[in-house]
Amino acid sequence: GAVVSQHPSRVICKSGTSVKIECRSLDFQATTMFWYRQFPKQSLMLMATSNEGSKATYEQGVEKDKFLINHASLTLSTLTVTSAHPEDSSFYICSASDPGSNQPQHFGDGTRLSIL
Amino acid sequence: AQRVTQPEKLLSVFKGAPVELKCNYSYSGSPELFWYVQYSRQRLQLLLRHISRESIKGFTADLNKGETSFHLKKPFAQEEDSAMYYCALEASGSRLTFGEGTQLTVNP
């Protein structure tokens, strides 16, 4: 079945560091990828929709300059948390879909980000 | 704006008992609804979607537009069903809105 790979699975870094998270679709072309954030014991909150070859669409309240998204190819989207602070510590999950195939979104394993 | 509500954060049943995980939604358009499941230490995966009208692992869910509900049901719960279950609604552009999730525990 379709697989989405997310890397790294865990990051621990100092406050002020920028952190890049990669999301890859391994056996299908993903014209659209999604980035979610999940706080402990809470639901997944959509942060942004990443479209290949165009700018990402951010949800209300999500700072686009803080969370930079790049979707340069049909198999890779990256999320960069710039100048991360402790309040950015969370679980970040990506998903990928090919709308033309009418298939549901496939999720990555998530990245646990901890900012000290 | 769309909204998905799962009123129960925790649900505990005994093996062999029926189980129902509740999901209610609000959406002005024609909804497409899903149930996702997350087993311990595994990624989120699709369990079923309402347009398929299928049964997966013994689970079924019927969309009730009158009650704006999409409850997940299984007549006889198994221990391996213990997991976190999320109800989700797909809006325009394939954007998913998730409910808060229900942690199901099936006791032996």
Side-chain angles (χ1 to χ4, degrees):
Chain A
V3 176
V4 172
S5 173
Q6 196 171 333
H7 179 80
S9 59
R10 176 144 194 166
V11 180
I12 302 172
C13 57
K14 294 181 179 179
S15 184
T17 307
S18 291
V19 179
K20 180 185 283 188
I21 304 170
E22 293 185 347
C23 181
R24 294 181 185 273
S25 57
L26 297 186
D27 55 0
F28 67 102
Q29 293 184 330
T31 55
T32 305
M33 291 184 173
F34 302 89
W35 288 96
Y36 297 85
R37 183 172 182 176
Q38 186 178 31
F39 289 106
K41 298 188 179 182
Q42 294 189 26
S43 187
L44 286 79
M45 298 296 295
L46 179 65
M47 298 173 65
T49 302
S50 172
N51 299 298
E52 188 269 334
S54 64
K55 290 183 179 180
T57 305
Y58 291 81
E59 296 298 306
Q60 190 173 9
V62 178
E63 300 174 59
K64 60 182 180 181
D65 294 330
K66 175 75 171 177
F67 299 99
L68 300 178
I69 292 173
N70 184 281
H71 193 156
S73 77
L74 285 170
T75 59
L76 173 65
S77 175
T78 60
L79 168 69
T80 301
V81 183
T82 62
S83 187
H85 291 283
E87 58 266 29
D88 298 322
S89 298
S90 189
F91 194 56
Y92 293 87
I93 306 171
C94 75
S95 70
S97 71
D98 184 357
S101 70
N102 198 32
Q103 291 299 304
Q105 294 180 31
H106 303 281
F107 287 81
D109 280 328
T111 297
R112 175 78 57 195
L113 176 62
S114 300
I115 308 299
L116 305 177
Chain B
Q2 60 272 14
R3 184 182 175 94
V4 177
T5 303
Q6 292 178 248
E8 303 141 326
K9 287 198 171 183
L10 301 171
L11 185 61
S12 184
V13 300
F14 285 103
K15 176 183 174 181
V19 63
E20 181 180 53
L21 290 83
K22 291 184 168 54
C23 173
N24 288 90
Y25 67 91
S26 63
Y27 182 52
S28 57
S30 182
E32 183 163 355
L33 287 147
F34 304 81
W35 276 99
Y36 282 85
V37 60
Q38 188 170 31
Y39 300 102
S40 180
R41 300 181 185 278
Q42 294 187 29
R43 68 182 64 195
L44 199 66
Q45 55 186 285
L46 179 68
L47 181 61
L48 52 81
R49 58 196 302 184
H50 90 270
I51 61 172
S52 300
R53 301 186 64 82
E54 56 191 346
S55 173
I56 304 294
K57 299 184 179 182
F59 285 97
T60 59
D62 290 318
L63 177 61
N64 186 323
K65 291 187 177 181
E67 296 183 357
T68 59
S69 68
F70 188 56
H71 303 326
L72 183 68
K73 300 177 184 179
K74 184 169 182 175
F76 308 103
Q78 302 300 314
E79 289 181 67
E80 55 265 30
D81 295 329
S82 296
M84 191 72 172
Y85 291 81
Y86 292 97
C87 182
L89 181 151
E90 184 178 282
S92 61
S94 300
R95 293 159 58 244
L96 285 174
T97 298
F98 284 87
E100 301 260 341
T102 298
Q103 178 68 51
L104 173 65
T105 302
V106 181
N107 300 299

